[in-house]
Amino acid sequence: MKRLLLVLLAAPLAAPLAVSAQIASGEWEIKVSTALPGAPPVEQTLARCLTAEDSRNPGRLFGAPGPGCEFLNPRDDGKAYRFDILCRDQNVTVSGSGDMAYAPERIEGSLTVRTVAGTQTLDVRSRIAARRLGPCK
C-alpha cells in the first residue's frame, strides 16, 4: 500500500512531463496540489531541468510508473495529452485518468485516481501547473 501511495504522489509530477516533443527544454517549475477527502490540499513545488533530449522523451527522467503500475491509453492531439493509470497490488487497486493541456512553455492538467483496498475507497485529485523559467541553471 505504501508503495502504491508513493507512485500516486509521484504520478502527477511524472505525467505532465511525458507529453510531447513540443515541450521546450530548459528549467521548469512544477506546482502540484493534491486534495484528499477531509484534509487540506497538499502543495508541492519542484524545479526540473529538461534537456533537449528529455523534452523529446521526458519519461526517461522518471523511469517506469512504478511496480505494479502502468500508464494506459495515451492520447495526444498536439495540444492536450490524456492517459489512464492502473496499479494493482495483492490487496489494493488504483485506477484513474489524467489530462494535460500543453504549450512549449506551459503545462496545466489534473490527475484523478481511486484507490480501493478491501471495502475502503479513497478518491484523490491532483492539479498540475508547470511553466518554463528559462535555460537550465
Side-chain angles (χ1 to χ4, degrees), residues 31-53:
K31 293 183 178 186
V32 179
S33 175
T34 301
L36 298 165
V42 176
E43 307 283 335
Q44 204 174 8
T45 301
L46 302 166
R48 293 281 189 262
C49 174
L50 291 180
T51 66
E53 185 177 343

Side-chain angles (χ1 to χ4, degrees), residues 12-26:
L13 301 176
L17 294 178
V19 293
S20 171
Q22 293 184 6
I23 295 172
S25 61

Side-chain angles (χ1 to χ4, degrees), residues 1-95:
M1 178 71 171
K2 283 184 181 179
R3 187 173 31 139
L4 287 174
L5 186 57
L6 289 174
V7 168
L8 289 177
L9 293 175
L13 301 176
L17 294 178
V19 293
S20 171
Q22 293 184 6
I23 295 172
S25 61
E27 190 78 17
W28 281 76
E29 176 185 73
I30 305 161
K31 293 183 178 186
V32 179
S33 175
T34 301
L36 298 165
V42 176
E43 307 283 335
Q44 204 174 8
T45 301
L46 302 166
R48 293 281 189 262
C49 174
L50 291 180
T51 66
E53 185 177 343
D54 294 335
S55 68
R56 287 189 298 276
N57 186 3
R60 293 182 197 177
L61 288 175
F62 303 97
C69 296
E70 58 185 325
F71 289 111
L72 304 167
N73 307 316
R75 300 165 308 278
D76 187 347
D77 67 9
K79 293 182 182 177
Y81 180 79
R82 293 169 182 81
F83 64 92
D84 299 318
I85 186 167
L86 178 63
C87 302
R88 290 195 176 145
D89 199 324
Q90 286 181 331
N91 303 312
V92 179
T93 299
V94 178
S95 59

